[in-house]
């Protein structure tokens, strides 16, 4: 158990819908990351937050948005869902969010878009 | 932009033997970090080993060691005395650089099978 929690574990929804994935970082970690793992694209970095502020952005679609709240939990919002958005979405956390900082991954949320 | 390439989609090793997984990367940065992550069937991502680019000495963690060749931009993972529990997908990842964010760039992964 990494100490990072993600809810829900599984999500099945239809095209065009909107979903919210939630992540709680390890106690004491200020930085949160979101990654997408799909068969087509592999494991891709989406976005990073540090203490509520966006720190780095990757290949995140405009239909996706994220934020980190004052209690440091984070949410990833996916809207106008398409079949290709079906993937495993990981949240990770680390203490200070720099390149040498070890990231601890949550168990992931499996999103299926039908 | 940085890229990470793992050219071996699948590898297999006999239990107790040694196996090496390959990884190459491309970057114009001089300061960065390289990682190997393990993803067992449970899908949990687990950090196996980390290498700082400024360190010449290769990192080791118990049965896991790396061969870091900075000039060749190569970062291979050696697993000694392979165990059944080592069966997993292994990802090579690049992080750090001048922006020094935590963004990780992953390779495509190598699935390791361990035969009893």
């Amino acid at each position: 158990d990494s100490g990072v929690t993600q809810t829900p574990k599984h999500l099945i929804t239809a095209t065009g819908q909107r979903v919210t994935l939630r992540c709680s970082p390890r106690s004491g970690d200020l930085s949160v990351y979101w990654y997408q793992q799909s068969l087509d694209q592999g494991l891709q970095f989406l976005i990073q937050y540090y203490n509520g502020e966006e720190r780095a952005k990757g290949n995140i679609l405009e239909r996706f948005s994220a934020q980190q709240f004052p209690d440091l939990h984070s949410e990833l919002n996916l809207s106008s869902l398409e079949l290709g958005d079906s993937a495993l979405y990981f949240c990770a956390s680390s203490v200070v969010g720099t390149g040498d900082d070890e990231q601890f991954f949550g168990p992931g949320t499996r999103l299926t878009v039908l | 932009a940085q890229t990470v390439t793992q050219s071996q989609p699948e590898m297999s090793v006999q239990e107790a033997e040694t196996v090496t997984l390959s990884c190459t990367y491309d970057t114009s940065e001089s300061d960065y970090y390289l990682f190997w992550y393990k993803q067992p069937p449970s899908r949990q991502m687990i950090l196996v080993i980390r290498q700082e680019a400024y360190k010449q000495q290769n990192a080791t963690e118990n049965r896991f060691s790396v061969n870091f060749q900075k000039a060749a931009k190569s970062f291979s993972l050696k697993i000694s005395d392979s165990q059944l529990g080592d069966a997993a997908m292994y990802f090579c990842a690049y992080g750090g650089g001048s922006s020094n964010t935590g963004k990780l760039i992953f390779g495509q992964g190598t699935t390791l099978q361990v035969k009893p």
Side-chain angles (χ1 to χ4, degrees):
Chain A
D1 185 356
S2 66
V4 179
T5 60
Q6 289 187 247
T7 56
K9 288 186 179 178
H10 302 278
L11 199 48
I12 301 174
T13 188
T15 54
Q17 295 299 304
R18 173 190 170 93
V19 297
T20 297
L21 313 183
R22 182 188 170 103
C23 168
S24 292
R26 291 187 324 153
S27 176
D29 285 358
L30 296 178
S31 197
V32 169
Y33 313 77
W34 287 97
Y35 294 90
Q36 178 195 58
Q37 185 176 25
S38 65
L39 288 174
D40 291 344
Q41 303 294 328
L43 196 51
Q44 284 197 107
F45 168 78
L46 295 178
I47 198 162
Q48 176 194 2
Y49 282 86
Y50 174 78
N51 206 21
E53 299 291 324
E54 183 183 304
R55 174 167 277 191
K57 210 166 186 175
N59 298 324
I60 187 166
L61 299 172
E62 285 190 12
R63 300 183 286 108
F64 296 1
S65 65
Q67 62 183 120
Q68 186 180 27
F69 293 87
D71 67 352
L72 301 177
H73 91 273
S74 178
E75 293 181 357
L76 178 67
N77 298 296
L78 314 176
S79 61
S80 302
L81 285 168
E82 302 175 359
L83 296 177
D85 298 327
S86 295
L88 185 57
Y89 290 85
F90 284 109
C91 170
S93 74
S94 70
V95 179
V96 294
T98 53
D100 61 333
D101 212 10
E102 180 175 352
Q103 294 181 30
F104 295 85
F105 283 74
T109 292
R110 169 75 66 185
L111 173 66
T112 302
V113 182
L114 301 175
Chain B
Q2 295 83 14
T3 58
V4 178
T5 301
Q6 293 176 250
S7 58
Q8 307 154 316
E10 295 179 355
M11 293 281 286
S12 67
V13 63
Q14 208 69 35
E15 194 176 6
E17 297 294 307
T18 296
V19 65
T20 299
L21 308 184
S22 301
C23 172
T24 59
Y25 60 95
D26 190 27
T27 184
S28 58
E29 307 272 8
S30 58
D31 238 351
Y32 49 87
Y33 303 88
L34 296 166
F35 308 84
W36 279 99
Y37 278 86
K38 171 184 178 181
Q39 187 179 42
S42 67
R43 295 294 188 180
Q44 179 73 47
M45 293 289 289
I46 303 162
L47 179 63
V48 174
I49 199 165
R50 180 179 92 172
Q51 175 78 44
E52 293 85 353
Y54 62 84
K55 288 187 178 178
Q56 292 187 340
Q57 186 173 7
N58 289 323
T60 62
E61 286 287 343
N62 301 314
R63 298 182 294 106
F64 298 87
S65 62
V66 298
N67 184 4
F68 173 50
Q69 302 289 328
K70 192 173 184 179
K73 295 179 182 173
S74 169
F75 182 60
S76 60
L77 174 70
K78 185 170 86 171
I79 306 174
S80 304
D81 185 26
S82 296
Q83 300 175 0
L84 295 177
D86 295 333
M89 180 166 277
Y90 287 82
F91 290 94
C92 177
Y94 171 102
S98 57
S99 65
N100 205 22
T101 67
K103 172 182 176 179
L104 291 177
I105 299 169
F106 288 90
Q108 304 91 319
T110 297
T111 300
L112 177 66
Q113 180 187 27
V114 181
K115 298 177 181 176

